Amino acid sequence: MGAGDFRSVEELLKAHGKPPREVYLDCENSPWVPPEVIDAMLPYFNTIGYGNPLITHKAGWEAYEAYRRALIQIARPINADPQQFIITHSGTEANNLAIKGYVLANKDKGRKIVVSEIEHLSVIFTAEYLKNCGFEVVKVPVDAEGFIDLEKLADIVDRETILVSIMLVNHEIGTIEPLREAVEVVKDKNPDVVFHTDAADAYGKIKFDVEKLGVDMVSLSARKIYGPRGVGALYVREGIRLEKLIHGQISIEELWPGVENVPLVMGFAKASELIFKDFDRNVSHMRKLRDMLIDGILSSIPYTFLNGPKGDRRAPDNVNISFLYCEGEAMVIELSTHGVYVSSGSACASRMLEPSHVLLAIGRKFEEVHGSLLMKVTPYHTVEDIKYVLEVLPKAVERIRSISALKPEGD
Amino acid sequence: MPTKRIPLPYSPKVLEYFRNPKNLGPLEDASVVAMAGSPACGDMIAIYLKVNDESEIIEKATFESYGCAANIAAASVMTEMITGKTLKEAWNLTWKDLSDALGGLPSIKFHCGILAVGALRRAIREYYRKKGKNPDWLPEDLTKEEKMALEEEELVKRLQKRYERMLKRGE
């Protein structure tokens, strides 16, 4: 950390000012949490069930009962056994537990781990850590829309393979992977392989069933469905052994010690209830806003293109567009000054100067990645929100392009 | 010491230069133009200088930047700082001077200042090369800023090659 790195941004915020209207589309990086979810959490801090769910007094039993119901709510929409869930403190932790936990507990069975090129970094970096520990890690390539290559997957999986981890929906470009086919391909080659899927971006966005998919472990994250940050879950099929990664006093979660955060788990359950209660309506609303945003941008701003598939093969909330001749961080800040909050795959925020690995894996050039913006719509956004974004965005792009040293040929 | 990633605590000055960049755009009657960085880096600065050949004073300096807010601000503040200065004085400007003028850049953005100074020094070298002059204060070896700009351009080329190989493997 340099000298200027821990300073206050209070003055910056003053200079930024409060925009006349705000539209938060950065749900990839942090959720906007609706009041219903907050209301569902608050009583569990000091009114009911604020005890430790493992202790035998009223406050503890209340906590246990709340926790139990929350697990049932979280598990039911994907047809999973609520008793087979481990609550963690994030989706990142769930992915770490699934991959490291399984590989370390089963290393006598084989040394090979298979993941896709476009996994979340909590999977990629965990796999790389295991590679440094002496395991073999092979990444399955994807096509230009982010779909995994099933033939390559079949070539890669062998008798040495113990774990395959492929996500159900990609977090950056919204690709809905053919996971059932992938599970079949894998189990055909080696029925002993355990199949893990990071379903953080699938849960509440597409319908799936752990039994029908045939997966063995599933990671979820509350914040991806507008629940609180700081709570995730891992479904583990009965009979699968995991190594404990965190050590401490055991509460309900034997594999993940630390006092259960009942209020956050209640928030997770409420978010799950809300998204699944009106699932079809929520999804069709998000799809409408998504397509309005995509079509509006591509038709009004030149030198733009969509990253990831179109239509039904794309997650209903995901918009990822590259704006040529624009650098992403500059666009993020320009949009922020107009109250539109998004994120970018640009390398600018990365110390290694490495842009989004997902966009590079689908074959985008570096400059196409630097100019990418990721936006996620939610059931809580309105048509007016999207209209405002479509009003602000073309002007923002035009201004950034007017500063740019890089211009379209002929301009 | 625990390492933290602070979300780019820019000073209000960076935001001000980003919103209202001074000396923006190409300079029609520039004596010399130089660039540093590349589109692949996501960081590219063009510096235009109009130099009085008699006095070697920079009469006008402008910039264009394909890059982040810090990049734009560093290039813009630099054009202000070198206007009215001799080429020798401009040569002695360091990336730290730019960072100070911007109220301190976050460490992850130091390279933006380095790239701006790298582009300026390339422009000054190019000016003397075109004039066929070689002032005694102008070092033959590349300075730290010029080397680092070159390193950034080389690094991204290596990264690009690595990803191209990765994609070929996937074919």
Side-chain angles (χ1 to χ4, degrees):
Chain A
M1 233 165 60
D5 287 356
F6 196 59
R7 67 151 164 250
S8 164
V9 289
E10 226 175 301
E11 292 300 316
L12 175 72
L13 284 168
K14 254 186 231 160
H16 184 290
K18 187 170 163 52
R21 185 179 178 131
E22 292 183 301
V23 182
Y24 185 81
L25 293 172
D26 192 20
C27 301
E28 168 55 19
N29 289 306
S30 178
W32 175 87
V33 181
E36 298 96 303
V37 171
I38 309 287
D39 292 345
M41 291 192 282
L42 289 180
Y44 292 90
F45 284 104
N46 57 14
T47 309
I48 183 176
Y50 44 85
N52 184 318
L54 208 69
I55 309 292
T56 51
H57 48 53
K58 178 171 161 284
W61 279 316
E62 283 171 354
Y64 165 74
E65 184 59 18
Y67 195 81
R68 199 183 70 87
R69 286 192 192 173
L71 279 183
I72 293 169
Q73 167 57 48
I74 293 163
R76 196 177 44 205
I78 56 170
N79 191 27
D81 179 353
Q83 292 184 74
Q84 293 304 119
F85 271 89
I86 299 154
I87 294 289
T88 61
H89 305 115
S90 64
T92 290
E93 288 184 2
N95 284 337
N96 270 264
L97 175 59
I99 298 170
K100 272 186 231 159
Y102 184 78
V103 168
L104 295 179
N106 296 276
K107 52 183 177 236
D108 51 320
K109 293 181 184 163
R111 310 290 294 175
K112 189 164 165 183
I113 305 155
V114 178
V115 302
S116 87
E117 291 273 16
I118 61 169
E119 293 301 311
H120 190 263
L121 289 175
S122 56
V123 169
I124 299 268
F125 288 165
T126 301
E128 280 169 10
Y129 168 77
L130 290 168
K131 193 177 181 179
N132 290 338
C133 296
F135 291 91
E136 187 191 355
V137 173
V138 183
K139 291 182 186 161
V140 190
V142 295
D143 69 12
E145 290 183 323
F147 292 103
I148 50 159
D149 187 331
L150 292 170
E151 277 175 33
K152 279 264 156 51
L153 177 63
D155 290 345
I156 290 166
V157 174
D158 57 13
R159 297 303 311 171
E160 264 298 296
T161 308
I162 52 171
L163 178 79
V164 172
S165 179
I166 296 173
M167 64 200 335
L168 184 46
V169 169
N170 183 269
H171 54 303
E172 284 191 35
I173 55 174
T175 312
I176 302 172
E177 298 294 346
L179 212 64
R180 209 162 71 94
E181 289 84 339
V183 173
E184 271 169 25
V185 161
V186 167
K187 301 267 174 172
D188 254 15
K189 287 294 295 278
N190 179 354
D192 298 331
V193 170
V194 160
F195 201 114
H196 165 253
T197 188
D198 174 0
D201 272 79
Y203 187 77
K205 314 285 167 58
I206 64 166
K207 276 213 170 107
F208 70 96
D209 175 320
V210 295
E211 292 307 323
K212 285 187 187 152
L213 279 181
V215 289
D216 303 305
M217 294 194 278
V218 179
S219 297
L220 305 178
S221 173
R223 71 177 178 84
K224 289 288 176 86
I225 52 166
Y226 331 112
R229 284 168 283 185
V231 55
L234 180 67
Y235 163 79
V236 184
R237 189 176 292 282
E238 201 178 348
I240 291 176
R241 211 159 47 85
L242 300 181
E243 179 94 0
K244 190 186 279 190
L245 304 179
I246 300 277
H247 301 87
Q249 181 166 308
I250 294 161
S251 189
I252 292 182
E253 302 295 357
E254 203 191 327
L255 273 164
W256 213 253
V259 178
E260 276 74 17
N261 198 333
V262 175
L264 293 199
V265 177
M266 298 312 286
F268 190 174
K270 189 66 185 181
S272 164
E273 183 197 318
L274 290 172
I275 196 94
F276 284 106
K277 192 174 68 186
D278 288 313
F279 183 81
D280 292 338
R281 211 180 63 190
N282 286 332
V283 166
S284 70
H285 180 70
M286 284 191 275
R287 267 205 195 113
K288 184 175 93 177
L289 300 186
R290 174 196 73 183
D291 292 340
M292 189 181 158
L293 197 49
I294 291 174
D295 297 342
I297 292 169
L298 297 183
S299 66
S300 71
I301 308 177
Y303 310 109
T304 51
F305 53 82
L306 182 68
N307 296 309
K310 274 184 196 157
D312 290 348
R313 299 188 309 158
R314 184 182 194 98
D317 59 336
N318 182 295
V319 177
N320 189 322
I321 290 178
S322 283
F323 299 77
L324 296 181
Y325 316 110
C326 281
E327 193 281 325
E329 196 221 75
M331 275 193 290
V332 168
I333 296 178
E334 178 69 4
L335 288 171
S336 173
T337 62
H338 291 97
V340 175
Y341 309 121
V342 304
S343 69
S344 169
S346 161
C348 227
S350 150
R351 202 174 289 267
M352 296 298 293
L353 281 174
E354 284 207 55
S356 155
H357 69 287
V358 174
L359 296 179
L360 291 174
I362 63 168
R364 292 295 184 229
K365 291 188 201 133
F366 273 44
E367 50 269 42
E368 295 169 342
V369 180
H370 295 314
S372 68
L373 291 187
L374 172 57
M375 296 166 266
K376 286 191 176 174
V377 298
T378 72
Y380 302 97
H381 286 112
T382 63
V383 168
E384 277 62 43
D385 288 332
I386 305 304
K387 277 186 185 157
Y388 179 67
V389 175
L390 289 173
E391 187 188 308
V392 163
L393 195 49
K395 289 181 218 159
V397 172
E398 205 184 313
R399 195 180 86 81
I400 298 303
R401 282 183 180 161
S402 77
I403 300 173
S404 182
L406 199 61
K407 307 265 191 234
E409 267 174 62
D411 270 33
Chain B
M1 181 178 148
T3 51
K4 287 191 179 62
R5 279 282 300 275
I6 310 289
L8 303 179
Y10 285 143
S11 72
K13 273 208 172 130
V14 171
L15 191 64
E16 175 52 31
Y17 276 97
F18 170 70
R19 275 174 156 171
N20 301 300
K22 305 288 180 330
N23 303 322
L24 173 64
L27 192 58
E28 294 294 329
D29 55 346
S31 322
V32 67
V33 187
M35 290 216 183
S38 76
C41 301
D43 248 348
M44 191 167 97
I45 291 176
I47 295 293
Y48 300 77
L49 302 179
K50 183 170 163 45
V51 182
N52 182 310
D53 290 336
E54 290 279 299
S55 61
E56 295 193 346
I57 283 174
I58 298 168
E59 288 176 341
K60 203 163 165 38
T62 65
F63 82 99
E64 289 173 299
S65 161
Y66 166 77
C68 62
N71 198 301
I72 292 165
S76 182
V77 80
M78 186 175 78
T79 56
E80 284 192 324
M81 291 167 83
I82 60 174
T83 303
K85 296 272 162 60
T86 64
L87 288 175
K88 188 183 173 188
E89 285 166 339
W91 178 271
N92 288 324
L93 192 77
T94 66
W95 70 268
K96 258 202 117 321
D97 298 330
L98 301 188
S99 176
D100 290 346
L102 291 172
L105 283 173
S107 58
I108 197 173
K109 295 294 183 182
F110 286 173
H111 73 275
C112 294
I114 291 167
L115 204 65
V117 170
L120 171 64
R121 291 192 185 166
R122 278 182 187 171
I124 294 172
R125 278 191 197 278
E126 176 61 13
Y127 175 82
Y128 284 118
R129 198 194 59 78
K130 272 165 70 178
K131 295 281 170 214
K133 284 187 188 171
N134 193 10
D136 53 4
W137 53 264
L138 190 69
E140 235 167 80
D141 294 337
L142 293 183
T143 57
K144 193 182 78 191
E145 279 91 342
E146 290 168 283
K147 273 188 200 152
M148 286 177 79
L150 208 58
E151 268 169 27
E152 186 178 319
E153 291 156 1
E154 292 299 321
L155 169 74
V156 81
K157 270 187 215 155
R158 282 207 304 279
L159 281 176
Q160 249 176 329
K161 282 206 183 106
R162 203 182 81 200
Y163 273 99
E164 275 160 23
R165 277 201 302 276
M166 185 187 99
L167 288 172
K168 268 198 197 112
R169 247 195 357 256
E171 265 164 20

